[in-house]
mmCIF file of all heavy atoms in Angstrom:
data_model
loop_
_atom_site.group_PDB
_atom_site.id
_atom_site.type_symbol
_atom_site.label_atom_id
_atom_site.label_comp_id
_atom_site.label_asym_id
_atom_site.label_seq_id
_atom_site.Cartn_x
_atom_site.Cartn_y
_atom_site.Cartn_z
ATOM 1 N N HIS A 317 -72.700 -1.025 44.641
ATOM 2 C CA HIS A 317 -73.331 0.221 44.223
ATOM 3 C C HIS A 317 -72.495 0.963 43.175
ATOM 4 O O HIS A 317 -73.046 1.586 42.270
ATOM 5 C CB HIS A 317 -73.565 1.137 45.430
ATOM 6 C CG HIS A 317 -74.767 0.773 46.236
ATOM 7 N ND1 HIS A 317 -74.760 -0.237 47.185
ATOM 8 C CD2 HIS A 317 -76.040 1.272 46.228
ATOM 9 C CE1 HIS A 317 -75.950 -0.339 47.729
ATOM 10 N NE2 HIS A 317 -76.750 0.549 47.178
ATOM 11 N N ARG A 318 -71.172 0.902 43.323
ATOM 12 C CA ARG A 318 -70.323 1.608 42.364
ATOM 13 C C ARG A 318 -70.381 0.933 40.994
ATOM 14 O O ARG A 318 -70.526 1.592 39.968
ATOM 15 C CB ARG A 318 -68.878 1.667 42.870
ATOM 16 C CG ARG A 318 -68.001 2.568 42.005
ATOM 17 C CD ARG A 318 -66.624 2.753 42.595
ATOM 18 N NE ARG A 318 -65.847 1.510 42.622
ATOM 19 C CZ ARG A 318 -64.576 1.441 42.985
ATOM 20 N NH1 ARG A 318 -63.938 2.533 43.379
ATOM 21 N NH2 ARG A 318 -63.937 0.275 42.994
ATOM 22 N N ASP A 319 -70.249 -0.388 40.981
ATOM 23 C CA ASP A 319 -70.420 -1.217 39.774
ATOM 24 C C ASP A 319 -69.613 -0.699 38.586
ATOM 25 O O ASP A 319 -70.140 -0.513 37.496
ATOM 26 C CB ASP A 319 -71.911 -1.320 39.411
ATOM 27 C CG ASP A 319 -72.176 -2.530 38.507
ATOM 28 O OD1 ASP A 319 -71.310 -3.421 38.448
ATOM 29 O OD2 ASP A 319 -73.246 -2.558 37.874
ATOM 30 N N LYS A 320 -68.314 -0.455 38.809
ATOM 31 C CA LYS A 320 -67.435 -0.098 37.698
ATOM 32 C C LYS A 320 -66.890 -1.374 37.051
ATOM 33 O O LYS A 320 -67.296 -2.482 37.403
ATOM 34 C CB LYS A 320 -66.303 0.789 38.202
ATOM 35 C CG LYS A 320 -66.750 2.219 38.497
ATOM 36 C CD LYS A 320 -65.551 3.136 38.729
ATOM 37 C CE LYS A 320 -66.013 4.569 38.893
ATOM 38 N NZ LYS A 320 -64.868 5.492 39.114
ATOM 39 N N GLN A 321 -65.919 -1.192 36.169
ATOM 40 C CA GLN A 321 -65.475 -2.303 35.330
ATOM 41 C C GLN A 321 -64.997 -3.513 36.136
ATOM 42 O O GLN A 321 -65.358 -4.634 35.842
ATOM 43 C CB GLN A 321 -64.354 -1.819 34.396
ATOM 44 C CG GLN A 321 -63.897 -2.892 33.409
ATOM 45 C CD GLN A 321 -62.887 -2.338 32.428
ATOM 46 O OE1 GLN A 321 -62.544 -1.173 32.484
ATOM 47 N NE2 GLN A 321 -62.412 -3.168 31.525
ATOM 48 N N ASP A 322 -64.167 -3.277 37.164
ATOM 49 C CA ASP A 322 -63.588 -4.414 37.886
ATOM 50 C C ASP A 322 -64.283 -4.706 39.212
ATOM 51 O O ASP A 322 -63.828 -5.558 39.973
ATOM 52 C CB ASP A 322 -62.101 -4.168 38.141
ATOM 53 C CG ASP A 322 -61.860 -2.915 38.976
ATOM 54 O OD1 ASP A 322 -62.788 -2.078 39.047
ATOM 55 O OD2 ASP A 322 -60.771 -2.772 39.546
ATOM 56 N N ASP A 323 -65.389 -3.990 39.520
ATOM 57 C CA ASP A 323 -66.051 -4.180 40.811
ATOM 58 C C ASP A 323 -66.643 -5.580 40.945
ATOM 59 O O ASP A 323 -66.607 -6.179 42.024
ATOM 60 C CB ASP A 323 -67.142 -3.126 41.024
ATOM 61 C CG ASP A 323 -66.556 -1.814 41.515
ATOM 62 O OD1 ASP A 323 -65.598 -1.865 42.306
ATOM 63 O OD2 ASP A 323 -67.034 -0.750 41.106
ATOM 64 N N ARG A 324 -67.216 -6.103 39.876
ATOM 65 C CA ARG A 324 -67.840 -7.434 39.962
ATOM 66 C C ARG A 324 -66.790 -8.526 40.227
ATOM 67 O O ARG A 324 -67.062 -9.472 40.971
ATOM 68 C CB ARG A 324 -68.633 -7.730 38.694
ATOM 69 C CG ARG A 324 -69.785 -6.750 38.498
ATOM 70 C CD ARG A 324 -70.801 -7.218 37.508
ATOM 71 N NE ARG A 324 -71.944 -6.314 37.468
ATOM 72 C CZ ARG A 324 -73.140 -6.629 37.011
ATOM 73 N NH1 ARG A 324 -73.364 -7.854 36.555
ATOM 74 N NH2 ARG A 324 -74.117 -5.749 37.012
ATOM 75 N N GLU A 325 -65.604 -8.369 39.608
ATOM 76 C CA GLU A 325 -64.546 -9.332 39.888
ATOM 77 C C GLU A 325 -64.106 -9.254 41.356
ATOM 78 O O GLU A 325 -63.850 -10.276 42.008
ATOM 79 C CB GLU A 325 -63.332 -9.072 38.973
ATOM 80 C CG GLU A 325 -63.538 -9.460 37.517
ATOM 81 C CD GLU A 325 -64.420 -8.487 36.751
ATOM 82 O OE1 GLU A 325 -64.739 -7.421 37.311
ATOM 83 O OE2 GLU A 325 -64.807 -8.800 35.602
ATOM 84 N N LYS A 326 -64.049 -8.027 41.884
ATOM 85 C CA LYS A 326 -63.667 -7.857 43.288
ATOM 86 C C LYS A 326 -64.724 -8.459 44.217
ATOM 87 O O LYS A 326 -64.391 -9.082 45.234
ATOM 88 C CB LYS A 326 -63.463 -6.376 43.604
ATOM 89 C CG LYS A 326 -62.216 -5.790 42.955
ATOM 90 C CD LYS A 326 -62.062 -4.312 43.287
ATOM 91 C CE LYS A 326 -60.793 -3.748 42.649
ATOM 92 N NZ LYS A 326 -60.625 -2.302 42.916
ATOM 93 N N ILE A 327 -66.003 -8.271 43.869
ATOM 94 C CA ILE A 327 -67.074 -8.853 44.683
ATOM 95 C C ILE A 327 -66.961 -10.378 44.690
ATOM 96 O O ILE A 327 -67.074 -11.026 45.738
ATOM 97 C CB ILE A 327 -68.454 -8.416 44.152
ATOM 98 C CG1 ILE A 327 -68.666 -6.916 44.384
ATOM 99 C CG2 ILE A 327 -69.578 -9.207 44.830
ATOM 100 C CD1 ILE A 327 -69.903 -6.369 43.709
ATOM 101 N N ALA A 328 -66.744 -10.938 43.505
ATOM 102 C CA ALA A 328 -66.630 -12.400 43.407
ATOM 103 C C ALA A 328 -65.466 -12.919 44.245
ATOM 104 O O ALA A 328 -65.576 -13.948 44.924
ATOM 105 C CB ALA A 328 -66.466 -12.806 41.941
ATOM 106 N N ALA A 329 -64.349 -12.190 44.219
ATOM 107 C CA ALA A 329 -63.181 -12.614 45.002
ATOM 108 C C ALA A 329 -63.442 -12.495 46.500
ATOM 109 O O ALA A 329 -63.075 -13.373 47.284
ATOM 110 C CB ALA A 329 -61.968 -11.762 44.608
ATOM 111 N N LEU A 330 -64.086 -11.403 46.909
ATOM 112 C CA LEU A 330 -64.359 -11.177 48.336
ATOM 113 C C LEU A 330 -65.323 -12.212 48.912
ATOM 114 O O LEU A 330 -65.256 -12.552 50.093
ATOM 115 C CB LEU A 330 -64.935 -9.770 48.549
ATOM 116 C CG LEU A 330 -63.953 -8.600 48.393
ATOM 117 C CD1 LEU A 330 -64.707 -7.278 48.341
ATOM 118 C CD2 LEU A 330 -62.957 -8.582 49.536
ATOM 119 N N THR A 331 -66.259 -12.697 48.070
ATOM 120 C CA THR A 331 -67.297 -13.621 48.559
ATOM 121 C C THR A 331 -67.030 -15.071 48.174
ATOM 122 O O THR A 331 -67.882 -15.937 48.392
ATOM 123 C CB THR A 331 -68.668 -13.205 47.998
ATOM 124 O OG1 THR A 331 -68.610 -13.179 46.556
ATOM 125 C CG2 THR A 331 -69.066 -11.825 48.509
ATOM 126 N N ALA A 332 -65.845 -15.326 47.636
ATOM 127 C CA ALA A 332 -65.558 -16.680 47.139
ATOM 128 C C ALA A 332 -65.476 -17.712 48.259
ATOM 129 O O ALA A 332 -65.949 -18.836 48.126
ATOM 130 C CB ALA A 332 -64.257 -16.669 46.332
ATOM 131 N N ASN A 333 -64.874 -17.339 49.382
ATOM 132 C CA ASN A 333 -64.684 -18.301 50.476
ATOM 133 C C ASN A 333 -65.272 -17.736 51.765
ATOM 134 O O ASN A 333 -64.658 -16.916 52.439
ATOM 135 C CB ASN A 333 -63.186 -18.598 50.659
ATOM 136 C CG ASN A 333 -62.952 -19.656 51.725
ATOM 137 O OD1 ASN A 333 -63.891 -20.344 52.145
ATOM 138 N ND2 ASN A 333 -61.715 -19.777 52.162
ATOM 139 N N LEU A 334 -66.463 -18.202 52.105
ATOM 140 C CA LEU A 334 -67.145 -17.744 53.321
ATOM 141 C C LEU A 334 -67.257 -18.867 54.353
ATOM 142 O O LEU A 334 -67.980 -18.724 55.345
ATOM 143 C CB LEU A 334 -68.541 -17.216 52.974
ATOM 144 C CG LEU A 334 -68.601 -16.048 51.978
ATOM 145 C CD1 LEU A 334 -70.037 -15.792 51.554
ATOM 146 C CD2 LEU A 334 -67.998 -14.792 52.586
ATOM 147 N N SER A 335 -66.546 -19.965 54.110
ATOM 148 C CA SER A 335 -66.714 -21.146 54.968
ATOM 149 C C SER A 335 -66.295 -20.890 56.413
ATOM 150 O O SER A 335 -66.874 -21.439 57.346
ATOM 151 C CB SER A 335 -65.910 -22.328 54.403
ATOM 152 O OG SER A 335 -64.532 -21.969 54.301
ATOM 153 N N HIS A 336 -65.271 -20.016 56.622
ATOM 154 C CA HIS A 336 -64.810 -19.766 57.988
ATOM 155 C C HIS A 336 -65.780 -18.887 58.771
ATOM 156 O O HIS A 336 -65.592 -18.652 59.958
ATOM 157 C CB HIS A 336 -63.419 -19.135 57.985
ATOM 158 C CG HIS A 336 -63.289 -17.935 57.101
ATOM 159 N ND1 HIS A 336 -63.400 -18.000 55.725
ATOM 160 C CD2 HIS A 336 -63.077 -16.637 57.395
ATOM 161 C CE1 HIS A 336 -63.237 -16.807 55.215
ATOM 162 N NE2 HIS A 336 -63.051 -15.955 56.206
ATOM 163 N N PHE A 337 -66.831 -18.385 58.088
ATOM 164 C CA PHE A 337 -67.868 -17.615 58.775
ATOM 165 C C PHE A 337 -69.130 -18.451 59.000
ATOM 166 O O PHE A 337 -70.169 -17.916 59.376
ATOM 167 C CB PHE A 337 -68.247 -16.372 57.959
ATOM 168 C CG PHE A 337 -67.160 -15.344 57.853
ATOM 169 C CD1 PHE A 337 -66.652 -14.967 56.614
ATOM 170 C CD2 PHE A 337 -66.632 -14.752 58.989
ATOM 171 C CE1 PHE A 337 -65.658 -14.013 56.507
ATOM 172 C CE2 PHE A 337 -65.635 -13.791 58.891
ATOM 173 C CZ PHE A 337 -65.147 -13.428 57.653
ATOM 174 N N LYS A 338 -69.042 -19.731 58.780
ATOM 175 C CA LYS A 338 -70.227 -20.594 58.725
ATOM 176 C C LYS A 338 -71.097 -20.523 59.969
ATOM 177 O O LYS A 338 -72.321 -20.384 59.881
ATOM 178 C CB LYS A 338 -69.784 -22.041 58.482
ATOM 179 C CG LYS A 338 -70.942 -23.026 58.368
ATOM 180 C CD LYS A 338 -70.434 -24.448 58.106
ATOM 181 C CE LYS A 338 -71.585 -25.436 58.029
ATOM 182 N NZ LYS A 338 -71.107 -26.817 57.822
ATOM 183 N N ASP A 339 -70.516 -20.621 61.154
ATOM 184 C CA ASP A 339 -71.298 -20.722 62.396
ATOM 185 C C ASP A 339 -71.428 -19.387 63.134
ATOM 186 O O ASP A 339 -71.800 -19.362 64.306
ATOM 187 C CB ASP A 339 -70.659 -21.751 63.332
ATOM 188 C CG ASP A 339 -70.654 -23.148 62.705
ATOM 189 O OD1 ASP A 339 -71.654 -23.488 62.062
ATOM 190 O OD2 ASP A 339 -69.650 -23.862 62.872
ATOM 191 N N ILE A 340 -71.126 -18.309 62.455
ATOM 192 C CA ILE A 340 -71.154 -17.007 63.139
ATOM 193 C C ILE A 340 -72.595 -16.527 63.299
ATOM 194 O O ILE A 340 -73.405 -16.608 62.373
ATOM 195 C CB ILE A 340 -70.332 -15.978 62.349
ATOM 196 C CG1 ILE A 340 -68.866 -16.246 62.613
ATOM 197 C CG2 ILE A 340 -70.711 -14.558 62.719
ATOM 198 C CD1 ILE A 340 -67.930 -15.199 62.157
ATOM 199 N N LYS A 341 -72.912 -16.039 64.496
ATOM 200 C CA LYS A 341 -74.233 -15.482 64.778
ATOM 201 C C LYS A 341 -74.056 -14.055 65.272
ATOM 202 O O LYS A 341 -73.146 -13.758 66.038
ATOM 203 C CB LYS A 341 -74.958 -16.310 65.841
ATOM 204 C CG LYS A 341 -75.297 -17.716 65.373
ATOM 205 C CD LYS A 341 -76.062 -18.482 66.446
ATOM 206 C CE LYS A 341 -76.409 -19.889 65.959
ATOM 207 N NZ LYS A 341 -77.127 -20.665 66.993
ATOM 208 N N PHE A 342 -74.953 -13.182 64.820
ATOM 209 C CA PHE A 342 -74.868 -11.782 65.199
ATOM 210 C C PHE A 342 -75.646 -11.536 66.482
ATOM 211 O O PHE A 342 -76.561 -12.291 66.826
ATOM 212 C CB PHE A 342 -75.414 -10.894 64.080
ATOM 213 C CG PHE A 342 -74.498 -10.821 62.892
ATOM 214 C CD1 PHE A 342 -74.731 -11.607 61.770
ATOM 215 C CD2 PHE A 342 -73.403 -9.991 62.905
ATOM 216 C CE1 PHE A 342 -73.892 -11.547 60.679
ATOM 217 C CE2 PHE A 342 -72.557 -9.923 61.821
ATOM 218 C CZ PHE A 342 -72.792 -10.696 60.711
ATOM 219 N N PRO A 343 -75.320 -10.451 67.210
ATOM 220 C CA PRO A 343 -76.069 -10.117 68.434
ATOM 221 C C PRO A 343 -77.551 -9.971 68.140
ATOM 222 O O PRO A 343 -77.937 -9.340 67.159
ATOM 223 C CB PRO A 343 -75.451 -8.777 68.869
ATOM 224 C CG PRO A 343 -74.097 -8.762 68.253
ATOM 225 C CD PRO A 343 -74.224 -9.519 66.968
#
Side-chain angles (χ1 to χ4, degrees):
H317 280 81
R318 188 173 66 174
D319 200 17
K320 285 191 175 180
Q321 184 175 0
D322 60 342
D323 279 323
R324 297 196 174 201
E325 288 75 9
K326 289 179 179 178
I327 292 171
L330 288 168
T331 57
N333 184 14
L334 301 170
S335 58
H336 51 294
F337 293 120
K338 182 179 178 182
D339 298 321
I340 283 192
K341 294 182 179 179
F342 287 99

